[in-house]
Amino acid sequence: EHAPDGLAVVDADGLFVQLNAAAIALLSHGLGGRDPQELIGMPAPFEFGRGAPADAAGLLEDEPVEQVSIWAPVAGVRREFAYRVRPLPGPGHATVVAFRDVTAERHRQRRVAAIARTSAKLASARSITAMLDALAHEVVQTDALAAVQIFSFDGAGRNLQIMGSAGFRRWPDFFDRLMRCRARGASLRMLDALDRQEPVVVPHRWKAIEYNPAWEPLREYLSELEWDSFASVPLIIRGRAEGVLNAFFAPGQVVGQPTLEFLVAMAEQAAVAVDYAALLQKERALARREERQRLARDLHDSIVQHVFSVGMQAKSLSVPGGRGAPVPGESAQRIADEIEDLSRTVLADLRAMVHELRPST
């Protein structure tokens, strides 16, 4: 009765037949203190067969290897139990299970892993859209959210555009519809997050906008998924809000401080990705401009000068002819040889420049 871990006896059919006080407390969490008699006879969430997967999150003890199961008896309740099993001697094939709640522990591990995976993806060569799509997917998977959107300003810094999403499908005219909602009087809380440069949490957001006529342009889009509360976290880049991460929570989910801290951490990752893409674009533009300037200098210093010399030599032939005077054959041959040499030099320089622009490798 006074064991710190939950202890349960489970029969051959996988049903609870006996529970200690700790087990009742663990199984009743979030169910309003369910009567122990209601738990007796309920299916246990534990696996007893051979080959049950061992926990890979480091939840190991000196006793038999712990496994992890999920207890979700009703909507909105989801607990993770690390457990060990041991068959009871005697007839009946009953099993005793010792288990403990590791929901928060494993949730923290998943969040840390999500941040680490996102950082690794940021370091790899990927497009900004693919990167932010992957980041949104990590957030949705880690916290079992309904959907995530990541917005950033366009190149002109005027309009917001969806750069990454998970859950909702993409609508090419989403921002235009959003502005139509705003013109109709809809309150866009993500703009509050941008203006304040701090997270905004709106409990039961869907109930507030479901039948609001101002949201008619986006009602079909927003009703694709089941969601309830909403949070918007700004992407802060060099002291400025350059976008937002919007999180749509499934019904029954509570937006607590740990959840908000995780969203802020992932928003920081998204901000790094957006800033990196902007810096890379500026660096490429600068490289193109410097390359054009270099080509202009090379053309002026060599090819343009040689072509100018070819023109001058040709002019020297045309001047005597224009006066009606005969051109000595020796002079004409000398000028023709010089024009031929200059032409070869110009051709060689052009070939070298083309090779630099498009190397064989």
Side-chain angles (χ1 to χ4, degrees):
E1 276 304 312
H2 302 290
D5 284 353
L7 295 176
V9 177
V10 181
D11 65 17
D13 296 325
L15 305 178
F16 288 122
V17 296
Q18 191 175 355
L19 300 165
N20 73 344
I24 293 171
L26 290 171
L27 296 169
S28 301
H29 185 80
L31 300 181
R34 171 170 278 180
D35 187 344
Q37 294 304 318
E38 295 182 42
L39 293 169
I40 300 302
M42 289 185 65
F46 311 115
E47 294 285 343
F48 304 130
R50 290 178 179 245
D55 173 48
L59 306 174
L60 306 178
E61 295 185 357
D62 295 335
E63 295 291 328
V65 174
E66 282 188 324
Q67 297 164 198
V68 176
S69 66
I70 296 174
W71 172 250
V74 297
V77 175
R78 186 183 187 278
R79 313 301 297 171
E80 294 184 61
F81 296 142
Y83 67 96
R84 300 185 303 275
V85 300
R86 181 163 295 167
L88 286 176
H93 303 289
T95 303
V96 64
V97 183
F99 61 100
R100 59 193 179 92
D101 192 336
V102 293
T103 306
E105 182 179 346
R106 287 174 62 82
H107 201 170
R108 284 193 299 270
Q109 291 170 345
R110 282 194 292 270
R111 285 173 170 172
V112 171
I115 294 172
R117 282 193 299 269
T118 302
S119 299
K121 290 172 183 174
L122 178 59
S124 64
R126 302 188 63 167
S127 70
I128 181 63
T129 302
M131 170 63 209
L132 293 180
D133 276 343
L135 189 150
H137 182 74
E138 288 285 356
V139 178
V140 167
Q141 290 292 104
T142 301
D143 270 24
L145 303 185
V148 166
Q149 298 171 325
I150 300 175
F151 288 82
S152 69
F153 285 108
D154 58 18
R158 291 191 296 268
N159 295 329
L160 287 169
Q161 55 189 347
I162 294 182
M163 297 297 292
S165 66
F168 287 122
R169 61 189 172 97
R170 288 188 179 275
W171 277 28
D173 60 343
F174 176 88
F175 187 77
D176 293 337
R177 289 174 178 264
L178 189 65
M179 291 300 98
R180 283 160 53 191
C181 292
R182 185 186 188 190
R184 294 162 65 111
S187 173
L188 307 186
R189 300 308 305 273
M190 71 176 185
L191 297 185
D192 295 339
L194 279 171
D195 293 339
R196 301 176 190 172
Q197 296 194 16
E198 61 183 27
V200 172
V201 178
V202 188
H204 312 301
R205 178 63 167 162
W206 173 239
K207 290 181 180 179
I209 68 176
E210 184 176 7
Y211 299 109
N212 186 338
W215 287 94
E216 180 60 33
L218 278 176
R219 181 167 288 116
E220 180 186 351
Y221 175 87
L222 294 173
S223 62
E224 288 181 350
L225 303 173
E226 289 189 15
W227 64 280
D228 181 25
S229 297
F230 171 81
S232 185
V233 181
L235 309 185
I236 306 299
I237 301 174
R238 305 178 193 279
R240 301 188 311 274
E242 297 291 345
V244 291
L245 183 151
N246 292 337
F248 299 80
F249 293 83
Q253 290 183 319
V254 178
V255 189
Q257 187 62 29
T259 299
L260 197 57
E261 290 173 356
F262 173 62
L263 292 179
V264 170
M266 296 304 277
E268 290 174 353
Q269 295 286 332
V272 170
V274 171
D275 190 34
Y276 173 76
L279 290 175
L280 189 60
Q281 184 176 4
K282 289 180 182 178
E283 187 174 329
R284 286 171 175 167
L286 177 62
R288 286 194 294 268
R289 184 165 62 251
E290 291 178 346
E291 183 65 10
R292 285 195 296 268
Q293 292 172 350
R294 186 188 68 80
L295 288 173
R297 288 194 302 270
D298 289 349
L299 284 169
H300 182 268
D301 293 344
S302 60
I303 297 174
V304 171
Q305 297 290 344
H306 290 142
V307 172
F308 179 76
S309 298
V310 169
M312 292 298 294
Q313 295 290 359
K315 188 70 174 177
S316 67
L317 282 176
S318 64
V319 170
R323 296 173 180 171
V327 179
E330 186 177 324
S331 296
Q333 184 63 47
R334 178 179 55 79
I335 293 173
D337 291 342
E338 290 181 1
I339 290 177
E340 184 179 3
D341 290 341
L342 288 170
S343 298
R344 286 201 195 95
T345 302
V346 169
L347 184 59
D349 288 346
L350 283 173
R351 282 175 173 166
M353 187 169 292
V354 170
H355 181 74
E356 289 181 12
L357 291 174
R358 293 209 178 256
S360 58
T361 54

Tab-separated table of all heavy atoms in Angstrom, residues 153-194:
chain	number	residue	atom	x	y	z
A	153	PHE	N	8.406	38.292	-43.171
A	153	PHE	CA	8.151	39.354	-44.135
A	153	PHE	C	8.829	39.040	-45.466
A	153	PHE	O	9.866	38.374	-45.516
A	153	PHE	CB	8.660	40.691	-43.599
A	153	PHE	CG	7.782	41.288	-42.533
A	153	PHE	CD1	8.203	41.313	-41.217
A	153	PHE	CD2	6.538	41.808	-42.844
A	153	PHE	CE1	7.403	41.859	-40.228
A	153	PHE	CE2	5.723	42.349	-41.861
A	153	PHE	CZ	6.154	42.379	-40.564
A	154	ASP	N	8.229	39.540	-46.543
A	154	ASP	CA	8.818	39.334	-47.860
A	154	ASP	C	10.051	40.206	-48.020
A	154	ASP	O	10.447	40.938	-47.102
A	154	ASP	CB	7.786	39.608	-48.967
A	154	ASP	CG	7.224	41.023	-48.903
A	154	ASP	OD1	7.851	41.882	-48.246
A	154	ASP	OD2	6.154	41.278	-49.491
A	155	GLY	N	10.670	40.136	-49.208
A	155	GLY	CA	11.908	40.871	-49.436
A	155	GLY	C	11.760	42.370	-49.256
A	155	GLY	O	12.701	43.052	-48.839
A	156	ALA	N	10.556	42.903	-49.558
A	156	ALA	CA	10.328	44.336	-49.402
A	156	ALA	C	10.028	44.713	-47.962
A	156	ALA	O	9.989	45.899	-47.621
A	156	ALA	CB	9.177	44.779	-50.306
A	157	GLY	N	9.793	43.698	-47.099
A	157	GLY	CA	9.514	43.971	-45.696
A	157	GLY	C	8.131	44.510	-45.434
A	157	GLY	O	7.876	45.107	-44.391
A	158	ARG	N	7.192	44.298	-46.387
A	158	ARG	CA	5.845	44.851	-46.231
A	158	ARG	C	4.824	43.778	-45.865
A	158	ARG	O	4.052	43.950	-44.927
A	158	ARG	CB	5.415	45.559	-47.514
A	158	ARG	CG	6.188	46.835	-47.809
A	158	ARG	CD	5.538	47.609	-48.939
A	158	ARG	NE	5.564	46.867	-50.184
A	158	ARG	CZ	6.525	46.952	-51.092
A	158	ARG	NH1	7.538	47.758	-50.874
A	158	ARG	NH2	6.479	46.254	-52.210
A	159	ASN	N	4.784	42.684	-46.622
A	159	ASN	CA	3.758	41.664	-46.436
A	159	ASN	C	4.319	40.427	-45.751
A	159	ASN	O	5.465	40.027	-46.001
A	159	ASN	CB	3.152	41.260	-47.788
A	159	ASN	CG	2.398	42.402	-48.450
A	159	ASN	OD1	1.835	43.247	-47.758
A	159	ASN	ND2	2.403	42.424	-49.767
A	160	LEU	N	3.487	39.817	-44.905
A	160	LEU	CA	3.852	38.538	-44.300
A	160	LEU	C	3.508	37.416	-45.261
A	160	LEU	O	2.491	37.466	-45.962
A	160	LEU	CB	3.097	38.339	-42.988
A	160	LEU	CG	3.553	39.190	-41.801
A	160	LEU	CD1	2.558	39.081	-40.669
A	160	LEU	CD2	4.937	38.761	-41.335
A	161	GLN	N	4.332	36.404	-45.294
A	161	GLN	CA	4.080	35.240	-46.142
A	161	GLN	C	4.400	33.978	-45.353
A	161	GLN	O	5.290	33.971	-44.506
A	161	GLN	CB	4.931	35.289	-47.409
A	161	GLN	CG	6.424	35.441	-47.146
A	161	GLN	CD	7.218	35.699	-48.402
A	161	GLN	OE1	6.712	35.536	-49.493
A	161	GLN	NE2	8.469	36.102	-48.241
A	162	ILE	N	3.619	32.914	-45.631
A	162	ILE	CA	3.853	31.645	-44.952
A	162	ILE	C	5.101	31.001	-45.534
A	162	ILE	O	5.162	30.693	-46.717
A	162	ILE	CB	2.646	30.704	-45.097
A	162	ILE	CG1	1.436	31.278	-44.367
A	162	ILE	CG2	2.973	29.325	-44.524
A	162	ILE	CD1	0.217	30.379	-44.420
A	163	MET	N	6.109	30.809	-44.694
A	163	MET	CA	7.354	30.205	-45.128
A	163	MET	C	7.473	28.751	-44.680
A	163	MET	O	8.291	28.001	-45.201
A	163	MET	CB	8.540	31.005	-44.589
A	163	MET	CG	8.601	32.429	-45.094
A	163	MET	SD	8.838	32.515	-46.877
A	163	MET	CE	10.501	31.868	-47.014
A	164	GLY	N	6.673	28.359	-43.691
A	164	GLY	CA	6.708	26.983	-43.209
A	164	GLY	C	5.387	26.649	-42.545
A	164	GLY	O	4.756	27.513	-41.932
A	165	SER	N	4.936	25.415	-42.688
A	165	SER	CA	3.667	25.032	-42.068
A	165	SER	C	3.619	23.524	-41.896
A	165	SER	O	4.303	22.778	-42.591
A	165	SER	CB	2.473	25.505	-42.911
A	165	SER	OG	2.436	24.827	-44.156
A	166	ALA	N	2.782	23.111	-40.952
A	166	ALA	CA	2.499	21.695	-40.723
A	166	ALA	C	1.091	21.616	-40.157
A	166	ALA	O	0.727	22.393	-39.282
A	166	ALA	CB	3.506	21.073	-39.755
A	167	GLY	N	0.315	20.671	-40.646
A	167	GLY	CA	-1.075	20.533	-40.208
A	167	GLY	C	-2.026	21.088	-41.231
A	167	GLY	O	-2.714	20.333	-41.936
A	168	PHE	N	-2.066	22.410	-41.389
A	168	PHE	CA	-2.911	23.028	-42.400
A	168	PHE	C	-2.283	22.853	-43.780
A	168	PHE	O	-1.067	22.870	-43.927
A	168	PHE	CB	-3.076	24.525	-42.134
A	168	PHE	CG	-3.966	24.853	-40.967
A	168	PHE	CD1	-3.488	25.605	-39.915
A	168	PHE	CD2	-5.282	24.417	-40.926
A	168	PHE	CE1	-4.294	25.919	-38.836
A	168	PHE	CE2	-6.102	24.725	-39.847
A	168	PHE	CZ	-5.609	25.472	-38.804
A	169	ARG	N	-3.129	22.706	-44.784
A	169	ARG	CA	-2.605	22.683	-46.150
A	169	ARG	C	-2.297	24.108	-46.592
A	169	ARG	O	-2.779	25.081	-46.013
A	169	ARG	CB	-3.606	22.029	-47.107
A	169	ARG	CG	-4.956	22.720	-47.214
A	169	ARG	CD	-5.925	21.866	-48.003
A	169	ARG	NE	-7.278	22.400	-47.966
A	169	ARG	CZ	-7.795	23.167	-48.916
A	169	ARG	NH1	-7.063	23.494	-49.974
A	169	ARG	NH2	-9.039	23.599	-48.826
A	170	ARG	N	-1.500	24.244	-47.624
A	170	ARG	CA	-1.087	25.563	-48.097
A	170	ARG	C	-2.177	26.186	-48.971
A	170	ARG	O	-2.712	25.533	-49.865
A	170	ARG	CB	0.215	25.470	-48.892
A	170	ARG	CG	1.436	25.201	-48.030
A	170	ARG	CD	2.694	25.312	-48.863
A	170	ARG	NE	3.886	25.078	-48.079
A	170	ARG	CZ	4.508	26.014	-47.364
A	170	ARG	NH1	4.037	27.239	-47.345
A	170	ARG	NH2	5.592	25.726	-46.674
A	171	TRP	N	-2.473	27.447	-48.707
A	171	TRP	CA	-3.349	28.244	-49.561
A	171	TRP	C	-2.510	29.367	-50.154
A	171	TRP	O	-1.971	30.192	-49.411
A	171	TRP	CB	-4.495	28.825	-48.745
A	171	TRP	CG	-5.648	27.886	-48.552
A	171	TRP	CD1	-5.589	26.529	-48.539
A	171	TRP	CD2	-7.021	28.243	-48.333
A	171	TRP	NE1	-6.840	26.011	-48.320
A	171	TRP	CE2	-7.745	27.035	-48.190
A	171	TRP	CE3	-7.708	29.434	-48.228
A	171	TRP	CZ2	-9.106	26.994	-47.960
A	171	TRP	CZ3	-9.071	29.407	-47.997
A	171	TRP	CH2	-9.764	28.217	-47.878
A	172	PRO	N	-2.384	29.453	-51.476
A	172	PRO	CA	-1.528	30.484	-52.070
A	172	PRO	C	-1.990	31.905	-51.759
A	172	PRO	O	-1.185	32.827	-51.717
A	172	PRO	CB	-1.593	30.180	-53.578
A	172	PRO	CG	-2.797	29.326	-53.757
A	172	PRO	CD	-2.973	28.552	-52.496
A	173	ASP	N	-3.307	32.100	-51.529
A	173	ASP	CA	-3.816	33.450	-51.260
A	173	ASP	C	-4.167	33.637	-49.785
A	173	ASP	O	-5.034	34.456	-49.449
A	173	ASP	CB	-5.039	33.738	-52.127
A	173	ASP	CG	-6.186	32.762	-51.870
A	173	ASP	OD1	-5.929	31.693	-51.283
A	173	ASP	OD2	-7.330	33.083	-52.242
A	174	PHE	N	-3.486	32.888	-48.901
A	174	PHE	CA	-3.815	32.949	-47.478
A	174	PHE	C	-3.693	34.373	-46.941
A	174	PHE	O	-4.584	34.865	-46.251
A	174	PHE	CB	-2.906	32.008	-46.677
A	174	PHE	CG	-3.118	32.086	-45.191
A	174	PHE	CD1	-4.075	31.300	-44.573
A	174	PHE	CD2	-2.369	32.957	-44.409
A	174	PHE	CE1	-4.291	31.385	-43.198
A	174	PHE	CE2	-2.578	33.046	-43.035
A	174	PHE	CZ	-3.544	32.256	-42.441
A	175	PHE	N	-2.580	35.055	-47.243
A	175	PHE	CA	-2.372	36.380	-46.676
A	175	PHE	C	-3.416	37.368	-47.185
A	175	PHE	O	-3.900	38.214	-46.415
A	175	PHE	CB	-0.967	36.890	-46.996
A	175	PHE	CG	-0.628	38.172	-46.305
A	175	PHE	CD1	-0.291	38.185	-44.960
A	175	PHE	CD2	-0.668	39.378	-46.983
A	175	PHE	CE1	0.008	39.373	-44.307
A	175	PHE	CE2	-0.372	40.565	-46.346
A	175	PHE	CZ	-0.033	40.568	-45.007
A	176	ASP	N	-3.781	37.269	-48.461
A	176	ASP	CA	-4.826	38.152	-48.993
A	176	ASP	C	-6.148	37.934	-48.263
A	176	ASP	O	-6.848	38.897	-47.922
A	176	ASP	CB	-5.014	37.911	-50.491
A	176	ASP	CG	-3.796	38.330	-51.296
A	176	ASP	OD1	-3.024	39.174	-50.790
A	176	ASP	OD2	-3.609	37.809	-52.410
A	177	ARG	N	-6.487	36.665	-48.009
A	177	ARG	CA	-7.715	36.373	-47.268
A	177	ARG	C	-7.618	36.888	-45.831
A	177	ARG	O	-8.601	37.361	-45.259
A	177	ARG	CB	-7.985	34.868	-47.272
A	177	ARG	CG	-8.424	34.314	-48.628
A	177	ARG	CD	-8.521	32.801	-48.583
A	177	ARG	NE	-8.991	32.248	-49.839
A	177	ARG	CZ	-10.265	31.941	-50.092
A	177	ARG	NH1	-11.194	32.127	-49.153
A	177	ARG	NH2	-10.624	31.446	-51.245
A	178	LEU	N	-6.419	36.772	-45.244
A	178	LEU	CA	-6.230	37.254	-43.887
A	178	LEU	C	-6.446	38.765	-43.820
A	178	LEU	O	-7.083	39.277	-42.881
A	178	LEU	CB	-4.819	36.896	-43.413
A	178	LEU	CG	-4.502	37.128	-41.940
A	178	LEU	CD1	-5.346	36.208	-41.058
A	178	LEU	CD2	-3.022	36.885	-41.661
A	179	MET	N	-5.959	39.498	-44.814
A	179	MET	CA	-6.162	40.937	-44.851
A	179	MET	C	-7.630	41.291	-45.072
A	179	MET	O	-8.113	42.314	-44.561
A	179	MET	CB	-5.294	41.559	-45.945
A	179	MET	CG	-3.789	41.509	-45.654
A	179	MET	SD	-3.317	42.399	-44.128
A	179	MET	CE	-3.213	41.061	-42.925
A	180	ARG	N	-8.334	40.452	-45.833
A	180	ARG	CA	-9.778	40.674	-45.999
A	180	ARG	C	-10.501	40.485	-44.667
A	180	ARG	O	-11.432	41.231	-44.340
A	180	ARG	CB	-10.336	39.735	-47.061
A	180	ARG	CG	-10.005	40.186	-48.488
A	180	ARG	CD	-10.109	39.079	-49.494
A	180	ARG	NE	-11.382	38.389	-49.451
A	180	ARG	CZ	-11.634	37.252	-50.098
A	180	ARG	NH1	-10.673	36.700	-50.823
A	180	ARG	NH2	-12.814	36.685	-50.017
A	181	CYS	N	-10.071	39.485	-43.879
A	181	CYS	CA	-10.653	39.297	-42.542
A	181	CYS	C	-10.393	40.522	-41.672
A	181	CYS	O	-11.291	40.985	-40.954
A	181	CYS	CB	-10.059	38.052	-41.882
A	181	CYS	SG	-10.528	36.476	-42.651
A	182	ARG	N	-9.182	41.053	-41.764
A	182	ARG	CA	-8.848	42.227	-40.957
A	182	ARG	C	-9.695	43.423	-41.374
A	182	ARG	O	-10.176	44.185	-40.513
A	182	ARG	CB	-7.366	42.541	-41.113
A	182	ARG	CG	-6.881	43.670	-40.212
A	182	ARG	CD	-5.446	44.033	-40.527
A	182	ARG	NE	-4.913	44.985	-39.558
A	182	ARG	CZ	-3.761	45.606	-39.697
A	182	ARG	NH1	-2.999	45.345	-40.760
A	182	ARG	NH2	-3.331	46.463	-38.794
A	183	ALA	N	-9.893	43.584	-42.697
A	183	ALA	CA	-10.712	44.695	-43.180
A	183	ALA	C	-12.162	44.570	-42.720
A	183	ALA	O	-12.865	45.578	-42.568
A	183	ALA	CB	-10.654	44.760	-44.711
A	184	ARG	N	-12.599	43.327	-42.483
A	184	ARG	CA	-13.965	43.096	-42.016
A	184	ARG	C	-14.091	43.228	-40.497
A	184	ARG	O	-15.164	43.013	-39.941
A	184	ARG	CB	-14.427	41.702	-42.446
A	184	ARG	CG	-14.560	41.557	-43.967
A	184	ARG	CD	-14.586	40.101	-44.376
A	184	ARG	NE	-15.766	39.387	-43.880
A	184	ARG	CZ	-16.754	38.944	-44.640
A	184	ARG	NH1	-16.723	39.185	-45.944
A	184	ARG	NH2	-17.759	38.284	-44.121
A	185	GLY	N	-12.986	43.538	-39.823
A	185	GLY	CA	-13.029	43.755	-38.382
A	185	GLY	C	-12.438	42.645	-37.542
A	185	GLY	O	-12.525	42.700	-36.305
A	186	ALA	N	-11.829	41.608	-38.161
A	186	ALA	CA	-11.242	40.508	-37.395
A	186	ALA	C	-10.003	40.998	-36.643
A	186	ALA	O	-9.232	41.807	-37.151
A	186	ALA	CB	-10.876	39.354	-38.320
A	187	SER	N	-9.838	40.490	-35.438
A	187	SER	CA	-8.669	40.812	-34.622
A	187	SER	C	-7.569	39.803	-34.909
A	187	SER	O	-7.729	38.613	-34.645
A	187	SER	CB	-9.044	40.784	-33.133
A	187	SER	OG	-7.896	40.937	-32.335
A	188	LEU	N	-6.454	40.259	-35.458
A	188	LEU	CA	-5.329	39.380	-35.793
A	188	LEU	C	-4.327	39.420	-34.642
A	188	LEU	O	-3.515	40.340	-34.520
A	188	LEU	CB	-4.661	39.828	-37.096
A	188	LEU	CG	-5.582	39.991	-38.312
A	188	LEU	CD1	-4.758	40.293	-39.555
A	188	LEU	CD2	-6.438	38.760	-38.522
A	189	ARG	N	-4.383	38.413	-33.790
A	189	ARG	CA	-3.555	38.417	-32.601
A	189	ARG	C	-2.073	38.235	-32.915
A	189	ARG	O	-1.224	38.619	-32.115
A	189	ARG	CB	-4.026	37.326	-31.631
A	189	ARG	CG	-5.465	37.484	-31.171
A	189	ARG	CD	-5.744	38.893	-30.619
A	189	ARG	NE	-4.838	39.279	-29.569
A	189	ARG	CZ	-5.036	39.000	-28.278
A	189	ARG	NH1	-6.111	38.331	-27.904
A	189	ARG	NH2	-4.174	39.408	-27.372
A	190	MET	N	-1.745	37.660	-34.080
A	190	MET	CA	-0.327	37.518	-34.401
A	190	MET	C	0.299	38.889	-34.673
A	190	MET	O	1.507	39.074	-34.476
A	190	MET	CB	-0.119	36.583	-35.586
A	190	MET	CG	-0.539	37.107	-36.932
A	190	MET	SD	-0.094	35.911	-38.225
A	190	MET	CE	-0.551	36.830	-39.693
A	191	LEU	N	-0.521	39.856	-35.111
A	191	LEU	CA	0.002	41.211	-35.273
A	191	LEU	C	0.305	41.843	-33.918
A	191	LEU	O	1.227	42.659	-33.796
A	191	LEU	CB	-1.004	42.066	-36.053
A	191	LEU	CG	-1.299	41.613	-37.484
A	191	LEU	CD1	-2.211	42.602	-38.181
A	191	LEU	CD2	-0.012	41.414	-38.285
A	192	ASP	N	-0.461	41.454	-32.891
A	192	ASP	CA	-0.155	41.909	-31.534
A	192	ASP	C	1.210	41.374	-31.095
A	192	ASP	O	1.996	42.094	-30.458
A	192	ASP	CB	-1.233	41.445	-30.556
A	192	ASP	CG	-2.582	42.083	-30.839
A	192	ASP	OD1	-2.604	43.147	-31.496
A	192	ASP	OD2	-3.612	41.524	-30.420
A	193	ALA	N	1.479	40.099	-31.421
A	193	ALA	CA	2.782	39.519	-31.069
A	193	ALA	C	3.911	40.258	-31.786
A	193	ALA	O	4.983	40.491	-31.208
A	193	ALA	CB	2.804	38.036	-31.415
A	194	LEU	N	3.674	40.657	-33.046
A	194	LEU	CA	4.683	41.409	-33.787
A	194	LEU	C	4.905	42.780	-33.172
A	194	LEU	O	6.047	43.220	-33.002
A	194	LEU	CB	4.244	41.552	-35.246
A	194	LEU	CG	4.491	40.365	-36.180
A	194	LEU	CD1	3.793	40.590	-37.506
A	194	LEU	CD2	5.975	40.158	-36.403
